Amino acid sequence: MAIMHPANLLEGTHVHSEEKFYYALKEQLNDKYHVFYSVRWYTLVNGVREDSECDFLIFNPDYGFLCIEVKGGNGISIKDGEWELSDSYGGRILEKSPYEQAEQSMRFFKKYFEDEMETQFTGIYGSAVAFPNYTINAPLTTDSPLERTIDLNDMNNLQKRIVEIFQYFRGHRRGTTAFLAPENQKKFINLINRRIALSIAAGALIEDRNRELKEINHVQDAIIDLLSHYSRAFLVGGAGTGKTWIGIKKIKRCLQEGLKPLYLCYNKALAEKVRKILEYKVDCYNFDAFMYRLLQSKAKEAQERSGCKEYSALLDTVQYDKYDLIIVDEGQDFTEDWAYCINLFLNEDSALYVMFDESQNIFQRNFAKKFFIDNPPFVLRYNIRNTANIYEFAKEQSGLGLDTLSNQIEGVAPEIKCFNRKERLVAYIDSIIHKLVDKEGVSKDKIVILSDRRKENSVLSDVDIVGGFPIDELYSDSGDVIPFRTIQGFKGLESDIVIFIRHTYKNEAKTERIRTLLYTALTRARFFLYCLDYEEATQKIDA
């Protein structure tokens, strides 16, 4: 069985002829084949960007790759030099020959490989057109030979037909040899996954991603229905399992019922993000800000006097509102005292739901039993944030989050680089940003530089511009900057592309806290992850 990218389709949601061809390839090709479905790409024509798509890219390390365009309907013909596809609605004129479309994709991916790998493509490369619903008995034009055509008669013997097409192009291209060395085979697959991920990051979301998330939405709605039978509950799940989104959906239902909800977390940036999502209709606070709002100067005085943030005794001295629902997000960041305080804001029949993940307990706190929740937690198992390659990498590097299942979008393998010279690391970041923004059209607001140190203590301490854009560490609303965030400040958030700078020193031991920080950092990236290790001779503590 072929290795498919994506691994499955949601049936009935795609063009029927493409679905039919997808499953025929999956079932008939052996496991040497990698089949990529719906790979978007673009080229510049007279300086203007022109977007296109390859219906199927078929890769076999013994041969090379083929780009295949699929046409359905009831038949195809050429009238007055135009290609016309007939279907149940009568018919439609195609913008160009499907054989030309397939060949354009073929030439793009050959050039893409050679530009990225900086070497000539030596394997077989070719293109073909598939008509899964009907037979083609004669060439439609001189540029559409039967040797490059797959029709209904071939649909039960696709592996034989694919090999014949490879052999056809081998005979027509001089200089093709045995294909890539084993290490380059993996690089080719990763290269195509990179192309897919760039399409997503640039805004051309592949339909299967949206459909997969719709299915997850149904699951989350079912969880929320189940929660209605419990006035208090824990929801436990690894990074990216949708805990925050369940909390937001629960709050929206609460609003629809005319009730008063409260959202609390520890991270200020996460609270602000949720506040925006809920259109400023709900009280959303990080816990310290919520306490300072209630206690004002008393909170500051207590902290200065005791050196700690214990608020429960002070709440007896002020009046405060009660809420019908409280969502505590990132609950592992809460102390025993803070957990106890939450209960004071609840009515007798109010609901409390606490979301947490011990694998992200970077502050090493313990809320003990002060949420007063006795029921076993609801467990979320499926990661819906990160591509599979990113999440598997996070688990491998940190040893955490092992119970969480990766999603079916394979994605690009994280890129790992080690530096001991600052200027080389900065130059590499410049090159990443220039390539993503200038060449691929990725929006700057989809990129985050993440660090295990504050900027003034990091390798970028005296760097103000990267990739031609200012570095922002103040959470400004300007879109013309590249954000710089610490792991602590970005916890609970995500970005399509994360450039993670990890400061290391010789013989550094991987403590539990370091593993937790690492897991939290790596799981912030949705589609692209660059891990840049900067090694120092001696350890430097980030105060």
Side-chain angles (χ1 to χ4, degrees):
M1 184 175 289
I3 300 169
M4 307 299 289
H5 308 261
N8 293 290
L9 298 182
L10 296 175
E11 294 190 43
T13 57
H14 295 270
V15 176
H16 174 71
S17 56
E18 294 178 7
E19 238 183 55
K20 180 178 180 180
F21 197 63
Y22 173 96
Y23 285 106
L25 291 173
K26 181 176 183 178
E27 292 165 7
Q28 295 180 42
L29 301 188
N30 64 41
D31 60 6
K32 274 198 170 183
Y33 287 88
H34 284 258
V35 177
F36 299 86
Y37 173 55
S38 186
V39 187
R40 286 184 170 89
W41 57 273
Y42 77 90
T43 188
L44 295 176
V45 179
N46 298 323
V48 178
R49 176 171 170 142
E50 184 177 296
D51 292 286
S52 190
E53 181 183 30
C54 175
D55 286 343
F56 289 90
L57 189 150
I58 299 175
F59 167 73
N60 184 316
D62 293 339
Y63 297 102
F65 75 89
L66 300 175
C67 289
I68 297 181
E69 181 75 15
V70 176
K71 293 301 175 189
N74 304 320
I76 196 164
S77 58
I78 299 176
K79 296 180 181 179
D80 300 326
E82 292 184 315
W83 289 77
E84 183 175 343
L85 188 69
S86 62
D87 53 30
S88 56
Y89 300 100
R92 60 186 176 89
I93 301 298
L94 303 180
E95 292 182 3
K96 63 177 67 174
S97 159
Y99 290 86
E100 182 184 345
Q101 283 182 277
E103 185 162 340
Q104 279 186 329
S105 292
M106 172 201 75
R107 296 196 181 283
F108 169 83
F109 285 108
K110 177 177 181 291
K111 185 177 186 301
Y112 180 54
F113 174 90
E114 292 175 342
D115 288 348
E116 293 291 321
M117 304 295 292
E118 298 182 345
T119 186
Q120 186 177 358
F121 187 88
T122 58
I124 303 168
Y125 57 96
S127 61
V129 179
F131 305 96
N133 299 337
Y134 42 87
T135 59
I136 304 293
N137 296 316
L140 297 166
T141 69
T142 56
D143 295 326
S144 56
L146 292 180
E147 290 86 351
R148 294 174 55 200
T149 303
I150 300 169
D151 68 6
L152 180 62
N153 292 330
D154 302 312
M155 289 299 290
N156 291 323
N157 203 357
L158 278 179
Q159 181 155 308
K160 177 176 179 292
R161 189 74 190 96
I162 296 298
V163 171
E164 289 173 350
I165 296 172
F166 272 124
Q167 291 173 341
Y168 167 81
F169 280 102
R170 173 180 279 170
H172 283 71
R173 301 199 196 282
R174 294 182 179 180
T176 57
T177 62
F179 194 44
L180 305 173
E183 64 272 16
N184 284 337
Q185 294 171 17
K186 186 174 182 180
K187 289 180 180 178
F188 182 90
I189 294 167
N190 197 49
L191 204 65
I192 305 306
N193 277 322
R194 180 179 295 276
R195 181 73 259 154
I196 294 170
L198 280 168
S199 295
I200 297 171
L205 288 172
I206 57 173
E207 294 176 358
D208 276 298
R209 174 69 178 176
N210 286 338
R211 292 183 181 115
E212 183 184 22
L213 291 179
K214 285 181 181 178
E215 289 297 305
I216 294 298
N217 283 339
H218 294 320
V219 173
Q220 291 185 341
D221 288 342
I223 292 172
I224 293 170
D225 290 338
L226 186 60
L227 286 176
S228 64
H229 299 287
Y230 297 83
S231 60
R232 292 172 177 251
F234 287 121
L235 280 86
V236 179
T241 51
K243 299 183 294 296
T244 299
W245 286 107
I246 289 176
I248 289 170
K249 287 182 180 180
K250 187 67 179 174
I251 286 173
K252 287 181 176 180
R253 287 198 186 184
C254 182
L255 288 174
Q256 289 170 357
E257 296 169 4
L259 302 175
K260 185 177 181 179
L262 169 67
Y263 174 90
L264 291 173
C265 63
Y266 180 68
N267 184 356
K268 181 179 179 181
L270 177 57
E272 180 59 28
K273 176 187 174 182
V274 173
R275 187 179 296 116
K276 287 181 180 179
I277 291 172
L278 292 169
E279 300 176 337
Y280 303 95
K281 296 176 181 177
V282 176
D283 286 349
C284 295
Y285 292 95
N286 62 303
F287 190 73
D288 282 333
F290 186 64
M291 288 294 102
Y292 274 62
R293 172 182 171 236
L294 296 178
L295 301 170
Q296 298 180 7
S297 61
K298 294 180 181 180
K300 186 176 181 180
E301 290 170 6
Q303 184 177 352
E304 290 174 349
R305 185 170 59 251
S306 64
C308 63
K309 299 177 182 178
E310 293 196 357
Y311 302 114
S312 55
L314 295 173
L315 288 173
D316 291 336
T317 66
V318 297
Q319 291 185 332
Y320 44 81
D321 293 334
K322 301 275 189 170
Y323 293 87
D324 300 301
L325 165 70
I326 297 181
I327 298 292
V328 176
D329 200 3
E330 302 286 319
Q332 72 278 352
D333 296 340
F334 281 61
T335 67
E336 197 170 354
D337 178 76
W338 301 352
Y340 175 79
C341 288
I342 300 297
N343 294 275
L344 302 178
F345 307 120
L346 294 167
N347 293 307
E348 203 170 299
D349 56 350
S350 298
L352 169 64
Y353 302 113
V354 179
M355 287 74 169
F356 73 95
D357 175 16
E358 278 300 329
S359 293
Q360 297 183 72
N361 191 359
I362 63 177
F363 302 110
Q364 298 178 311
R365 293 174 181 150
N366 183 1
F367 55 71
K369 295 184 178 182
K370 290 301 179 73
F371 283 117
F372 300 107
I373 298 175
D374 298 322
N375 296 319
F378 292 89
V379 179
L380 305 174
R381 294 288 308 281
Y382 189 68
N383 177 286
I384 58 175
R385 174 192 296 151
N386 319 107
T387 58
N389 271 330
I390 289 175
Y391 194 74
E392 291 300 318
F393 176 76
K395 290 196 292 186
E396 176 189 332
Q397 292 293 307
S398 68
L400 300 174
L402 303 181
D403 292 335
T404 300
L405 304 176
S406 302
N407 68 52
Q408 70 166 351
I409 299 177
E410 183 177 6
V412 183
E415 197 163 304
I416 309 163
K417 297 284 185 180
C418 298
F419 300 89
N420 53 24
R421 293 179 60 183
K422 171 182 175 177
E423 60 271 20
R424 289 186 178 178
L425 181 142
V426 174
Y428 185 70
I429 295 176
D430 284 340
S431 69
I432 292 172
I433 294 172
H434 277 304
K435 182 175 181 179
L436 291 171
V437 176
D438 299 335
K439 184 177 178 180
E440 298 294 348
V442 175
S443 174
K444 296 179 291 297
D445 60 11
K446 296 181 182 294
I447 304 172
V448 164
I449 296 175
L450 193 62
S451 172
D452 56 358
R453 292 187 186 166
R454 289 192 289 265
K455 185 172 180 294
E456 64 266 25
N457 293 324
S458 76
V459 65
L460 300 184
S461 58
D462 58 353
V463 177
D464 296 321
I465 294 177
V466 289
F469 302 101
I471 295 176
D472 165 51
E473 55 179 327
L474 300 175
Y475 293 87
S476 72
D477 292 330
S478 170
D480 200 32
V481 298
I482 300 294
F484 179 100
R485 303 289 181 260
T486 63
I487 301 172
Q488 291 89 336
F490 205 62
K491 198 167 68 65
L493 300 171
E494 61 185 39
S495 181
D496 284 357
I497 299 163
V498 170
I499 302 169
F500 173 47
I501 303 173
R502 179 172 63 167
H503 300 77
T504 64
Y505 61 96
K506 292 183 183 299
N507 304 316
E508 178 183 36
K510 191 175 282 189
T511 64
E512 184 64 26
R513 184 172 186 274
I514 288 175
R515 292 170 62 226
T516 303
L517 284 167
L518 186 59
Y519 173 77
T520 303
L522 300 181
T523 53
R524 300 308 96 197
R526 297 178 68 211
F527 302 117
F528 279 86
L529 175 61
Y530 298 88
C531 293
L532 313 183
D533 281 353
Y534 181 66
E535 186 179 273
E536 298 174 312
T538 57
Q539 184 179 11
K540 183 178 180 181
I541 303 299
D542 185 12

